[in-house]
Amino acid sequence: MKNVESAKYFQVDHRIEEILEREGVVILPSHEAWKEYKWSRKYFKKRPKEGFFVWVTKQIRFPVSTCVTISSEGVQQNLLNLMIIERGLSVKSYSICNATSANLHGQHNAFGKIILKEGAKMEMISTHSWGVKDVVKPAYHFI
């Protein structure tokens, strides 16, 4: 995604490869948000070990992108993700979750919440591409 203006979070297996914050968007690994923003704990419910935290604090004119990939055999991801869009804001979000090969036998557990505060809007495009023996369990709550 070179030359594309966006804010993004990119994780491969259990490694965070890139975080690109932009003005108006806070992006952190979930475990760091748990420590830094005590108020976030009411949304996470339990202490996250991996996953992302995205907080859009003002109107932006670019998308927020998250990408979580499995590239090694037998990897088990247990993601706790949280996205918060403040009042009256309109946001585009692109989410990609995938495996780099069809025969990795990975497990991708992604649980999270998307909080749309009063008057907030979100257009979300979520794309998944997995191998036939991967186990994928996404579960999101929209509030």
Side-chain angles (χ1 to χ4, degrees):
M1 293 180 55
K2 292 188 186 251
N3 300 324
V4 173
E5 187 177 350
S6 70
K8 68 180 164 183
Y9 175 91
F10 179 40
Q11 176 178 325
V12 177
D13 295 338
H14 302 292
R15 296 178 319 277
I16 297 167
E17 296 291 329
E18 183 177 14
I19 292 178
L20 177 60
E21 287 187 329
R22 307 275 312 237
E23 185 179 349
V25 183
V26 175
I27 302 176
L28 294 169
S30 292
H31 66 274
E32 288 183 23
W34 173 275
K35 286 186 234 172
E36 189 167 332
Y37 299 110
K38 304 256 188 272
W39 56 262
S40 72
R41 295 176 183 184
K42 70 180 177 182
Y43 299 116
F44 281 120
K45 298 294 185 198
K46 67 178 186 176
R47 185 182 200 120
K49 293 182 181 173
E50 67 180 324
F52 57 80
F53 169 86
V54 176
W55 180 22
V56 181
T57 61
K58 66 184 230 179
Q59 187 59 56
I60 56 176
R61 304 263 183 266
F62 49 85
V64 174
S65 302
T66 58
C67 180
V68 180
T69 299
I70 291 177
S71 70
S72 302
E73 191 170 347
V75 165
Q76 180 176 340
Q77 295 173 327
N78 292 298
L79 307 159
L80 285 177
N81 302 320
L82 177 60
M83 182 177 276
I84 301 169
I85 312 300
E86 288 295 336
R87 292 175 184 240
L89 303 181
S90 182
V91 175
K92 284 188 180 183
S93 171
Y94 301 111
S95 173
I96 300 169
C97 298
N98 66 344
T100 59
S101 176
N103 59 352
L104 295 176
H105 306 275
Q107 187 166 350
H108 175 82
N109 302 309
F111 303 102
K113 290 184 180 171
I114 297 174
I115 312 295
L116 300 173
K117 295 201 176 174
E118 185 178 333
K121 299 176 190 170
M122 185 168 127
E123 177 185 333
M124 182 177 193
I125 297 172
S126 183
T127 305
H128 288 252
S129 178
W130 299 103
V132 293
K133 295 199 177 182
D134 292 326
V135 176
V136 179
K137 296 178 184 175
Y140 281 85
H141 299 280
F142 288 81
I143 300 170

